[in-house]
Amino acid sequence: MDRTESLPAQTRPPGVAPADPGSVLLPGHDVPLGRYTTVRRLLPQRRRRMVGAWCFVDHFGPDDVAERPGMEVPPHPHTGLQTVTWLLDGEIVHRDSLGNVQPIRPGQLNVMTSGHGIAHSERSPAAHPPVMHGVQLWVALPDPARAAAPDFAHHEDLPVWRDGDLDVTLLAGELGGERSPAVLHTPLVGAQLTARGAAPARLPLRRDFEYGLLAMSGSAQVGDVPLEPGALLYLGAGRESLTLSAAPGSRLLLLGGAPFEEPLVMWWNFVGRSHEEVVAAREDWAAGRRFGTVADDAAPPLPAPALPTTRLKARTRHGDIRA
């Protein structure tokens, strides 16, 4: 999928309060992922490419997979990014070319750092729970981390605490005096917020971060803006706190980070800096170089799509073209 389009300046859609002009409500659009899964893609979009270094957000489910295979994504490559996988329901087995075979279940976090190149697959086990629901996130790697060796980490012990009527699980970064064990390469935060009551809740934020809030289940209200499942509310930067109310049981994902200023080329499963870099990665994948062989997965590797007929363009978060 070609993710290299120029994105215009932010606009305020209907329903966003004039008193909060920095907010943009981003509905997701459906994208097939493998043979059996459809995801709602929240980032990148034409109106917003990134939130900090979070450059890709897919929300999938809740899907009834009791009589279906569940997730079936064969071996495929990545460069220049970290994948962050978080499940609310279900189970997925991660396999990669470093030799890792790691199931992930709700409450656990997988972070795969591609560096200069890694391959992996994601599949539901044959005996899997009846419901699958979660998010797959990408983080753009800065120089020099994007040229480093690949890595993979699985985290079962994440910071969890109660803040008023919210249960907070910290996936990445720092929040409320807590710190996630996940290794990051840019200033970021990612946290699940689970509403236990209807009273408004207030979270401390960093003014130098930009933020987005994704409704994964239930519903929420931020100011005058309603947030329903499968939509992302971009909150902008310059906030010291966030006040929200949510229906009991609602699960939200807070994403934030320092604005990412390095120019990017995003195409298919590669995050690079130039047309030539992405072309080289595609050629290496097709030739069986660089990315290795995914452990314990005999399925044929996913072929790369054809490159577009025009040159891929590197763009900053502002949409500027860099040669």
Side-chain angles (χ1 to χ4, degrees), residues 106-122:
Q108 304 173 357
L109 187 74
N110 277 358
V111 179
M112 184 183 75
T113 304
S114 71
H116 67 269
I118 195 171
H120 75 141
S121 66
E122 297 160 297

Side-chain angles (χ1 to χ4, degrees), residues 11 19 26 28 33 35 39 50 58-59 61 67 73 89 103 107 121 132 143 168 173 176 180 189 199 211 213 227 258:
T11 58
L26 301 171
L33 182 67
R35 294 180 58 189
V39 302
M50 304 175 73
D58 274 355
H59 174 227
E67 304 297 329
V73 182
D89 299 285
S121 66
M132 186 172 66
D143 290 328
V168 182
S180 166
V189 67
Y211 290 90
L213 187 67
L227 188 57

Side-chain angles (χ1 to χ4, degrees), residues 171-215:
L171 281 61
E174 299 182 24
L175 184 68
E178 300 285 346
R179 183 178 181 86
S180 166
V183 174
L184 303 173
H185 299 273
T186 59
L188 288 178
V189 67
Q192 177 177 293
L193 314 175
T194 303
R196 295 304 179 193
R202 182 178 178 275
L203 286 172
L205 302 181
R206 288 179 50 168
R207 291 183 59 87
D208 59 329
F209 274 23
E210 55 184 354
Y211 290 90
L213 187 67
L214 167 64

Side-chain angles (χ1 to χ4, degrees), residues 31-312:
V31 177
L33 182 67
R35 294 180 58 189
Y36 303 101
T37 304
T38 297
V39 302
R40 283 174 294 282
R41 183 145 300 155
L42 284 309
L43 288 179
Q45 292 196 31
R46 184 171 292 275
R47 287 183 293 167
R48 170 54 48 185
R49 296 182 68 230
M50 304 175 73
V51 176
W54 301 102
C55 62
F56 185 89
V57 177
D58 274 355
H59 174 227
F60 52 90
D63 293 328
D64 182 354
V65 295
E67 304 297 329
R68 298 166 54 199
M71 183 168 288
E72 286 289 318
V73 182
H76 59 282
H78 285 295
T79 61
L81 58 89
Q82 290 179 293
T83 64
V84 178
T85 306
W86 177 252
L87 292 181
L88 284 73
D89 299 285
E91 181 178 350
I92 297 172
V93 179
H94 163 98
R95 297 175 173 87
D96 65 37
S97 53
L98 299 178
N100 296 293
V101 179
Q102 177 63 61
I104 179 173
R105 302 177 181 92
Q108 304 173 357
L109 187 74
N110 277 358
V111 179
M112 184 183 75
T113 304
S114 71
H116 67 269
I118 195 171
H120 75 141
S121 66
E122 297 160 297
R123 301 183 185 276
S124 298
H128 54 263
V131 176
M132 186 172 66
H133 187 193
V135 290
Q136 172 101 146
L137 314 164
W138 290 4
V139 178
L141 287 172
D143 290 328
R146 68 188 191 90
D151 192 23
F152 173 80
H154 175 77
H155 301 285
E156 297 187 6
D157 187 15
L158 298 169
V160 178
W161 69 95
R162 173 68 64 89
D163 187 346
D165 276 348
L166 287 179
D167 286 342
V168 182
T169 303
L170 185 60
L171 281 61
E174 299 182 24
L175 184 68
E178 300 285 346
R179 183 178 181 86
S180 166
V183 174
L184 303 173
H185 299 273
T186 59
L188 288 178
V189 67
Q192 177 177 293
L193 314 175
T194 303
R196 295 304 179 193
R202 182 178 178 275
L203 286 172
L205 302 181
R206 288 179 50 168
R207 291 183 59 87
D208 59 329
F209 274 23
E210 55 184 354
Y211 290 90
L213 187 67
L214 167 64
M216 297 183 291
S217 66
S219 60
Q221 189 91 9
V222 179
D224 293 333
V225 185
L227 188 57
E228 300 297 330
L232 175 70
L233 180 63
Y234 175 71
L235 297 164
R239 297 173 181 260
E240 295 181 348
S241 64
L242 171 67
T243 301
L244 62 92
S245 55
S250 298
R251 290 177 289 185
L252 314 171
L253 183 65
L254 178 70
L255 300 174
F260 191 86
E261 301 294 353
E262 296 182 31
L264 298 179
V265 173
M266 292 180 62
W267 182 82
W268 195 44
N269 295 312
F270 306 130
V271 175
R273 296 297 187 275
S274 69
H275 173 88
E276 290 77 14
E277 186 179 322
V278 170
V279 169
R282 184 188 184 280
E283 291 176 348
D284 284 347
W285 176 247
R289 298 188 296 262
R290 187 196 312 196
F291 298 96
T293 301
V294 173
D296 194 32
D297 195 324
L302 193 66
L307 283 160
T309 56
T310 57
R311 181 180 176 83
L312 301 172

